[in-house]
Every structure is written in structure tokens, then in C-alpha cells.
Amino acid sequence: FANSVQPVIQKLTELQDQMTTQKNSLEKAVSHSDPKAVVAMVRDVGVSFGHALSFVLEGVVSAKEGRQTLEEELIAFHDFHKSRGTYDERDLLPSEEFENLKGYVDYFRDELRCASFDFRLNGGAQFRRLMWEVEVFVRFAEVCEEVKKRDIIQARGVAMQVVGWRDVVVKILNKEAHLKMKARIRYVGERLKFFFK
């Protein structure tokens, strides 16, 4: 009988140790789930994230990874779309004035004299430069169609109310500029998607 009681006592001792460990773990979890402690922890995490985010958004100049000049960035973007066959090179240039990507890059370097053109940037500084580049791209949008007298008369139409010149211009631009701006917005979206990939 004594021999059979010993394993039962050993098993009960193991269960007691296990239950004590589980109890301590649950008490610790309860203390961490105190609403005030949770709010304080979330605030600390938010502050820490906010401090770290400023370094990311400013870009880390000493970092070796992910740094590019504007020229390298545009070449990588164009090569990516060429390899996928998603865009014709003409769609990736803002105007017919630019024969190729080199002309567009030279425009930034020589005519616009982009201050950060030759700097290798990353993070937020690179993002700000990207936003500037797409702004320049969108500003090249123009209605190349010649507006004829017939178009103006048709835009004025026959209405029960007075149609002003502002309404005529809006109608003509809606008809002609809509597709141009759609292509520009698509470019901006693709540039942003490529940046964040």
C-alpha cells in the first residue's frame, strides 16, 4: 500500500506546482489588464512610435539601404514597367516635349535645378521629393485639342436657363481634359505604389 501511495503523492505535488505557476501567470495577466495600466502602456507605445516615425519621415542620411537619387528612382520605375509591359514609355513621360526618360531627367537637373536631384535620399525626404516630381508631372497636363467655334456653340447648348461662359469652359474641359487627368492620376498612383513596395 505504501508503495502505491508514493506515485499519487508525487503526482499531486506536480499538479500543485503546475497550478501555482498557472495562478501566478493569471495574477500577472490580471494586473496587466488593469485599464489604467493598459492606457499607460498604449500611450508609451504611441509616444515611442511617434519619436521613431520622425526619423523615418526625415530619412536617415547615414543609412546605406534604400537610398536613391531622383534619376535612379525614375530609371528603376521605368524599367519596372518596361519589364512588366504595363506602360508604353510615352505614358510614363509628362509631355511629348520629352523624347525619352533622359530628356525628362535632364529637365529636372538642368531646367528645374531640383535641389535634391543628385542626393541619395530615403524615407520621408525621398517621399517629399517624389511628391514634388509627380506634381511637376501633373502640371504638364494640357488640353492639346483646338477648341472650335462649333464646340463652343454645342457646349452653350439650348437651355431654359442662362448658360455663362464659365459653364461652357467647364463643359469643354470635362470633355477634353478628363482623359488627360485620368492618365496623370494613374501615373501618380503607380509612382506611389512603386515607392511603397
Side-chain angles (χ1 to χ4, degrees):
F1 179 76
N3 289 340
S4 62
V5 171
Q6 187 60 31
V8 172
I9 291 175
Q10 185 178 355
K11 183 67 175 173
L12 287 173
T13 305
E14 288 174 9
L15 284 173
Q16 183 180 13
D17 292 343
Q18 205 175 37
M19 291 299 148
T20 303
T21 304
Q22 190 174 9
K23 177 186 170 214
N24 291 340
S25 171
L26 289 173
E27 285 175 349
K28 191 174 183 180
V30 166
S31 71
H32 284 292
S33 63
D34 175 34
K36 292 178 183 175
V38 171
V39 168
M41 189 184 318
V42 169
R43 283 185 182 145
D44 288 344
V45 168
V47 167
S48 177
F49 180 77
H51 288 299
L53 187 62
S54 68
F55 290 107
V56 172
L57 290 178
E58 291 170 4
V60 182
V61 179
S62 62
K64 303 293 182 213
E65 296 290 321
R67 293 174 52 205
Q68 291 182 315
T69 65
L70 182 58
E71 182 174 11
E72 292 168 343
E73 193 177 331
L74 288 169
I75 289 171
F77 177 69
H78 280 241
D79 289 346
F80 173 75
H81 282 289
K82 277 183 196 172
S83 68
R84 290 183 58 205
T86 50
Y87 280 98
D88 184 291
E89 187 174 21
R90 301 295 322 148
D91 297 331
L92 298 174
L93 297 173
S95 171
E96 292 178 12
E97 294 175 28
F98 303 108
E99 293 179 21
N100 52 28
L101 178 60
K102 184 181 178 340
Y104 186 48
V105 167
D106 290 344
Y107 175 74
F108 274 97
R109 180 187 296 117
D110 303 331
E111 291 187 44
L112 290 182
R113 293 193 175 118
C114 174
S116 62
F117 181 83
D118 288 321
F119 287 106
R120 292 179 169 276
L121 302 175
N122 68 356
Q126 185 181 13
F127 181 74
R128 276 187 237 122
R129 183 178 64 194
L130 162 78
M131 294 306 292
W132 186 69
E133 184 267 324
V134 296
E135 180 183 340
V136 169
F137 188 93
V138 170
R139 287 184 181 203
F140 272 97
E142 59 187 9
V143 179
C144 297
E145 304 295 320
E146 186 176 317
V147 179
K148 299 179 178 82
K149 183 178 179 181
R150 183 179 59 85
D151 296 330
I152 294 172
I153 292 171
Q154 189 164 1
R156 285 203 56 133
V158 179
M160 299 298 276
Q161 63 207 28
V162 177
V163 177
W165 286 111
R166 183 178 193 280
D167 299 323
V168 171
V169 170
V170 167
K171 283 183 182 179
I172 291 173
L173 286 177
N174 276 335
K175 179 182 171 227
E176 301 295 333
H178 181 73
L179 294 176
K180 293 274 187 187
M181 285 310 294
K182 187 175 179 181
R184 299 284 189 248
I185 291 169
R186 187 170 175 208
Y187 174 86
V188 171
E190 289 295 327
R191 284 285 280 133
L192 289 171
K193 189 164 75 173
F194 184 77
F195 179 81
F196 286 112
K197 74 167 176 64

